Amino acid sequence: MFVLLLLIPFIIGCRPVGDGAEVFGVVTTKSLKGLFASGVVLHHLCTYFCPPITSLEVYRNLGFIMVSGFFLISGYGLTYSARKKEGYLNHFLLRRVLPIIVGFYLSAFAYCLMYRHYHVLTWEMFRTIVTGANYWFIYAILILYIGFYISFRFFKSQNAPYACTVWTVLYMAVMFVKGLKAPGVYGYWWFNSCLAFAAGIWFCVYRDRILGFLDRGYIWKLVLSAAVFGAAFAGVYLIEDKASLKILACELIASVSFCVLVLQFCMRFKVNNIVLKSLGTVSLELYLVQALWIYVVGNEYTSQWHAVLMVFNIIIRTVLLAWVVHYVSKGIMWIVEKVRFLIWK
């Protein structure tokens, strides 16, 4: 059932790419962002809510794959804008980094408000919320975005992708070392999807060459990509030691090969679905607020049917809160822009 929550709008929104149509265009990437964000929500429902619903098990190990898709689109979109839009980097920190921070603290405020309402807010919980200790994604996306800004702002255009890739790998290396010291706190999930960000950058830089290469012998290359992804993802399931280097290697290979599969899919299909586009608009907010209702509402079920109702309850509340955070954040950023204009006009 819950597989269909994503597959039905995805299938309905798929259309063959016509002649002259843009591959990996804005409409498709926004729909895919909605798909990937929804997958993360269902992943965490499976991981933390643990309802007795068999179909949710499909998403148990898909979290880093969904985030890989999001990073791919982010890396591609940032690079495309930096190369095509004049002055794009002039106010990058204000317009791309600050909204993430604003959205995070709006979400943190909502968490504190609701936890206090349900009488479960403790000082330790408050500290964890406001520092984002459990939000690895926010730290990762902020670090990657700042690395992108530094690379494309202060390096020559031909060297910027290399610099940003080095920055990404350095972040991964730092988190790997921190994980050795505190494996329960800094696990592989802190960085196992980050290569997809660099993949998005390089795809944008060599877009025509990459698409041309993938188009020659499309079918067998699609089969090869699917086989590599399937083998690597199977390793994630089958390797028992979840802290071993083997499973990290499988996760990294699965992440990158999934990116290739996404590109190959987009060469033949575009996705334009109003539900997924709507969710794509608030994809960041969905990442931010998803855990709130899982914690507040979750595990109150008394039967499997009741668990199904709880899942839909959590999903609906999550989407509604994501839109609230989105619009409040936009309002705050509008005020910031007006103040900036008045000061530096």
Side-chain angles (χ1 to χ4, degrees), residues 298-314:
N299 297 317
E300 294 181 358
Y301 55 85
T302 57
S303 64
Q304 181 165 343
W305 176 243
H306 191 197
V308 171
L309 295 178
M310 287 294 99
V311 168
F312 279 107
N313 184 10
I314 292 170

Side-chain angles (χ1 to χ4, degrees), residues 12 34 42 78 83 123 151 185-186 190 219 229 239 257 281 297 304 340:
I12 292 175
L42 293 174
L78 294 181
R83 290 163 63 91
W123 171 251
S151 301
V185 179
Y186 301 104
W190 276 79
I219 296 299
F229 172 74
I239 297 175
S257 58
T281 302
V297 180
Q304 181 165 343
R340 182 189 67 82

Side-chain angles (χ1 to χ4, degrees), residues 1 14 92 108 111 125 162 168 172 183 190 192 207 258 265 269 336-337:
M1 179 197 308
C14 282
F92 182 86
Y111 275 67
M125 184 179 291
Y162 294 98
T168 302
M172 296 171 64
W190 276 79
N192 58 9
R207 172 191 170 90
F258 178 74
F265 172 84
F269 297 95
V336 171
E337 284 281 358

Side-chain angles (χ1 to χ4, degrees), residues 51-323:
I53 303 172
T54 305
S55 60
L56 266 180
E57 288 296 319
V58 174
Y59 300 98
R60 180 169 294 276
N61 289 320
L62 278 180
F64 78 99
I65 294 297
M66 297 291 99
V67 176
S68 296
F70 182 86
F71 278 151
L72 171 70
I73 295 170
S74 295
Y76 175 83
L78 294 181
T79 308
Y80 183 89
S81 297
R83 290 163 63 91
K84 299 293 184 180
K85 298 179 181 179
E86 186 177 352
Y88 177 74
L89 295 173
N90 291 344
H91 305 293
F92 182 86
L93 296 178
L94 177 68
R95 295 177 178 174
R96 297 307 302 263
V97 174
L98 183 59
I100 297 174
I101 298 173
V102 170
F104 167 74
Y105 278 106
L106 284 173
S107 302
F109 175 75
Y111 275 67
C112 293
L113 196 65
M114 292 305 301
Y115 287 170
R116 182 173 177 81
H117 173 74
Y118 283 92
H119 306 291
V120 293
L121 182 64
T122 63
W123 171 251
E124 182 64 25
M125 184 179 291
F126 175 79
R127 186 188 64 81
T128 300
I129 292 171
V130 297
T131 59
N134 292 333
Y135 273 89
W136 73 267
F137 176 77
I138 293 300
Y139 285 96
I141 199 71
L142 286 175
I143 289 171
L144 293 178
Y145 274 34
I146 292 172
F148 177 88
Y149 172 75
I150 293 172
S151 301
F152 282 80
R153 180 75 172 177
F154 300 106
F155 287 81
K156 294 181 179 180
S157 58
Q158 64 268 28
N159 295 329
Y162 294 98
C164 196
T165 301
V166 170
W167 177 281
T168 302
V169 173
L170 284 175
Y171 163 74
M172 296 171 64
V174 169
M175 298 315 302
F176 176 77
V177 172
K178 289 176 73 70
L180 294 178
K181 297 178 180 179
V185 179
Y186 301 104
Y188 293 154
W189 62 86
W190 276 79
F191 61 89
N192 58 9
S193 54
C194 290
L195 282 179
F197 185 76
I201 293 174
W202 285 107
F203 171 60
C204 185
V205 173
Y206 293 107
R207 172 191 170 90
D208 293 338
R209 293 186 187 180
I210 292 174
L211 291 178
F213 171 77
L214 293 176
D215 195 49
R216 294 189 295 271
Y218 176 84
I219 296 299
W220 75 263
K221 287 177 181 175
L222 177 65
V223 172
L224 177 62
S225 300
V228 172
F229 172 74
F233 193 66
V236 176
Y237 269 101
L238 298 176
I239 297 175
E240 295 183 0
D241 183 4
K242 300 305 179 183
S244 70
L245 291 179
K246 290 181 180 179
I247 200 167
L248 174 59
C250 287
E251 289 173 346
L252 295 177
I253 294 171
S255 174
V256 175
S257 58
F258 178 74
C259 292
V260 177
L261 282 173
V262 170
L263 297 179
Q264 289 173 313
F265 172 84
C266 291
M267 290 174 65
R268 295 294 186 267
F269 297 95
K270 60 181 179 181
V271 187
N272 185 2
N273 179 274
I274 188 171
V275 175
L276 294 180
K277 283 193 298 183
S278 174
L279 295 175
T281 302
V282 293
S283 57
L284 175 66
E285 291 81 2
L286 286 173
Y287 285 113
L288 289 171
V289 304
Q290 59 183 311
L292 173 59
W293 298 116
I294 294 176
Y295 184 84
V296 171
V297 180
N299 297 317
E300 294 181 358
Y301 55 85
T302 57
S303 64
Q304 181 165 343
W305 176 243
H306 191 197
V308 171
L309 295 178
M310 287 294 99
V311 168
F312 279 107
N313 184 10
I314 292 170
I315 292 173
I316 292 170
R317 293 189 188 201
T318 298
V319 173
L320 291 177
L321 182 58
W323 275 105

